[in-house]
Amino acid sequence: MAVKFMLVKGEIKSRNHYGMYYAHTIRGAELTLEQIEERIQANCSAKVSDVRMVMAELFSTIRLALSEGQVVNLGDLGKFYLSVTSKPVERPQDFRVDKHITGIKCKYIPCGHRMQQEGMKDNIKRLLTQGCKAVHDRRATQRSLDIWPRI
């Protein structure tokens, strides 16, 4: 497994990496829910319709739990939780939900295990990235960033 990247020159003058090069991830093709269902069907006895039903119910259950303020722990996949974004106020009594809350975000923390390595700070190894390595795609150019969809 490889994660492709290209080097991009920082072009925002106010940033401390202006004029310097940094790695920028090149996203691969999107894996759709339908393709996931097909892959699961090919690897076990569950049919696409079974997988679709379970995925739909999983989504509903997660959505309800998040709306109740719970953290949803999906084991090796990781945890989901909601957080709010807001505008700051000088005094707590000035804060109004309708005026200062600007949004709600769904946050994700991939499952991982803390590893200690000699001479380094504690390091968290994420299960979803195990076995992945970074590969420099020298053919990619900064111009090609314009055609990739932003998420």
Side-chain angles (χ1 to χ4, degrees):
M1 296 187 298
V3 177
K4 292 183 181 178
F5 71 91
M6 60 189 240
L7 294 178
V8 175
K9 188 174 186 177
E11 295 181 352
I12 301 173
K13 289 183 179 181
S14 62
R15 298 263 170 96
N16 58 354
H17 65 266
Y18 174 72
M20 300 174 74
Y21 289 86
Y22 61 94
H24 180 82
T25 305
I26 300 171
R27 293 189 192 115
E30 184 175 287
L31 180 65
T32 67
L33 184 57
E34 290 79 17
Q35 291 168 324
I36 292 171
E37 292 166 351
E38 291 288 336
R39 287 184 182 188
I40 291 173
Q41 177 177 274
N43 291 326
C44 69
S45 61
K47 297 291 181 203
V48 167
S49 58
D50 300 325
V51 176
R52 188 170 294 136
M53 177 187 60
V54 170
M55 297 292 278
E57 189 56 38
L58 178 63
F59 174 79
S60 296
T61 302
I62 290 172
R63 188 170 178 219
L64 177 62
L66 290 174
S67 72
E68 293 173 346
Q70 296 177 315
V71 175
V72 178
N73 185 338
L74 296 178
D76 287 348
L77 191 58
K79 297 177 183 180
F80 294 87
Y81 66 96
L82 297 182
S83 71
V84 296
T85 57
S86 68
K87 296 177 186 175
V89 295
E90 290 184 18
R91 302 176 319 171
Q93 58 268 31
D94 295 338
F95 191 86
R96 290 186 21 217
V97 172
D98 60 335
K99 183 177 178 183
H100 296 102
I101 296 292
T102 58
I104 298 175
K105 294 181 178 181
C106 182
K107 302 282 190 137
Y108 168 68
I109 303 171
C111 181
H113 302 287
R114 190 168 298 283
M115 311 287 281
Q116 270 195 327
Q117 295 177 343
E118 195 171 320
M120 292 180 67
K121 294 181 185 176
D122 286 348
N123 192 7
I124 297 178
K125 298 289 184 188
R126 303 288 181 196
L127 295 179
L128 288 174
T129 61
Q130 279 185 342
C132 291
K133 63 179 183 174
V135 176
H136 187 180
D137 185 346
R138 298 187 192 311
R139 296 172 302 178
T141 63
Q142 181 146 0
R143 196 175 129 260
S144 60
L145 284 176
D146 299 334
I147 61 172
W148 290 324
R150 299 275 183 210
I151 296 178

